[in-house]
Amino acid sequence: MQTTTLLSWRSRSHEAKPEFSWTRKESFVEKHQVGEILRGVVFSSVLWGLLAVGVYAVYSMVLGAR
């Protein structure tokens, strides 16, 4: 029996999960990776703050030299 090209990308060992299974379901936080998003936002904010402090320091040094 031939497989269609649409399904050929799937691994042959991959089995479709039944709609209702007794396995533990992922929580919202695990499924949507909220922790990683928050970590990225905090890290980005820290970097923007450091950039602002650096620009202000250079600006102050340039104006202080005059």
Side-chain angles (χ1 to χ4, degrees):
M1 183 171 140
Q2 293 181 336
T3 60
T4 64
T5 56
L6 181 63
L7 297 176
S8 64
W9 64 271
R10 293 177 60 178
S11 171
R12 299 231 186 255
S13 64
H14 181 271
E15 297 178 8
K17 289 200 260 184
E19 186 176 340
F20 300 103
S21 66
W22 293 102
T23 59
R24 181 177 143 315
K25 295 189 179 204
E26 288 183 314
S27 69
F28 179 84
V29 175
E30 291 171 346
K31 187 174 185 180
H32 297 285
Q33 301 174 354
V34 175
E36 290 183 26
I37 294 170
L38 289 177
R39 188 178 317 125
V41 168
V42 169
F43 185 68
S44 176
S45 298
V46 168
L47 288 178
W48 277 109
L50 289 174
L51 179 65
V53 169
V55 168
Y56 180 75
V58 170
Y59 179 74
S60 297
M61 285 189 286
V62 168
L63 287 182
R66 293 183 181 197

